[in-house]
Amino acid sequence: VQLQASGGGNVRAGGSLRLSCAASGSAFTINSMGWYRRAPGKQRELVAHIDRNGYTHFGNSVKDRFTISRDTAKSSVYLQMNDLQPEDTAVYYCNAPDVLIGKQFHTYWGQGTLVTVSS
């Protein structure tokens, strides 16, 4: 299974970006998906997560600004980021923590997409 993320870029404070992540492969079932980010000099942190039932969870720093959605048929997850601030600058990673292949669960990460927010 491969996760391909896209949609990063440069934006000014107050602007918006939409990240996309699509899973590809064969004979797998994705349960939940999410986004993490790693800012320069900081640890990786959870941005948002969505489970198979559509229940969402957000990191405190992005609540009310970011939304997460998924298209189960396309094995894809999306992160709509509004009112971006310089502190949102980071590499964003797509994550699928509980992919069922056969009878085993696996965790997969995308390659990361850079978001840079200028003031």
Side-chain angles (χ1 to χ4, degrees):
V1 175
Q2 290 187 332
L3 301 181
Q4 182 68 44
S6 61
N10 299 318
V11 65
R12 290 195 173 186
S16 299
L17 283 174
R18 185 176 187 250
L19 304 183
S20 301
C21 176
S24 62
S26 62
F28 66 93
T29 301
I30 290 182
N31 289 293
S32 61
M33 298 186 80
W35 293 92
Y36 284 75
R37 69 186 182 187
R38 186 190 297 271
K42 295 187 178 181
Q43 292 186 333
R44 185 177 63 194
E45 64 173 347
L46 171 69
V47 177
H49 176 270
I50 183 168
D51 72 10
R52 63 183 304 170
N53 297 314
Y55 177 80
T56 59
H57 175 73
F58 295 91
N60 289 333
S61 61
V62 305
K63 284 180 179 178
D64 301 322
R65 297 188 298 123
F66 291 10
T67 58
I68 187 171
S69 60
R70 65 184 294 177
D71 185 332
T72 302
K74 295 182 178 180
S75 298
S76 295
V77 65
Y78 310 96
L79 184 69
Q80 177 65 42
M81 305 184 293
N82 297 327
D83 189 26
L84 283 160
Q85 299 300 315
E87 52 266 34
D88 295 314
T89 295
V91 178
Y92 286 71
Y93 296 92
C94 176
N95 169 252
D98 46 6
V99 178
L100 181 62
I101 300 175
K103 297 182 179 180
Q104 292 186 331
F105 288 96
H106 303 264
T107 296
Y108 293 94
W109 292 90
Q111 82 283 11
T113 184
L114 177 63
V115 172
T116 303
V117 185
S118 59
S119 57

